[in-house]
Amino acid sequence: MDIVHESGDATAAQIRERMTDPPTDSAVRSVLRILVEKGHLSSAYDGPRYVYSPTVPAQRARTSAMRHVLRTFFGGSVEGAVSALLQLEDGNLTPRERARIKALIDRASEEGR
């Protein structure tokens, strides 16, 4: 799904090429078929191959995934999730990023969130 969202649409071969440790071609096609059946992807026949596209915009998928992560790993706690992100070794923030995050928090506070 990540690869399809990043590229907008892709064939099974293109998706497999972008995977770091790809399974067999038939395994990729099987997962794509399941994702189409579940409504996560759509497919269109283009000559000798199918082209797969996400059915949900990336922003909506991100929001849904974040809600799932918050519920599953942080008991719904935004504070817990932010704390975990800030503790990541590779999560060093630049002063500019800190200022933008602070502005987002301030805006959310003003809006009562």
Side-chain angles (χ1 to χ4, degrees):
M1 285 301 303
D2 294 341
I3 294 168
V4 178
H5 271 289
E6 287 171 7
S7 37
D9 58 14
T11 65
Q14 291 168 329
I15 292 166
R16 190 167 183 270
E17 283 174 10
R18 296 204 37 213
M19 297 174 119
T20 53
D21 188 19
T24 64
D25 185 54
S26 62
V28 171
R29 291 178 191 284
S30 291
V31 170
L32 291 170
R33 179 182 45 77
I34 291 166
L35 290 170
V36 168
E37 288 172 2
K38 289 187 173 201
H40 299 294
L41 292 176
S42 64
S43 63
Y45 195 65
D46 181 27
R49 65 193 149 275
Y50 284 95
V51 177
Y52 298 91
S53 304
T55 57
V56 175
Q59 178 58 45
R60 196 163 118 208
R62 274 192 295 273
T63 300
S64 175
M66 282 304 302
R67 281 193 180 113
H68 176 73
V69 168
L70 278 174
R71 279 191 314 269
T72 304
F73 297 103
F74 299 99
S77 169
V78 172
E79 178 186 356
V82 171
S83 176
L85 288 170
L86 292 173
Q87 292 176 31
L88 292 175
E89 290 178 15
D90 58 352
N92 295 328
L93 297 171
T94 66
R96 184 176 178 175
E97 289 169 327
R98 269 190 230 99
R100 285 197 315 249
I101 291 169
K102 184 181 180 320
L104 289 170
I105 292 170
D106 291 344
R107 187 175 331 131
S109 180
E110 290 168 5
E111 294 171 358
R113 293 184 285 131

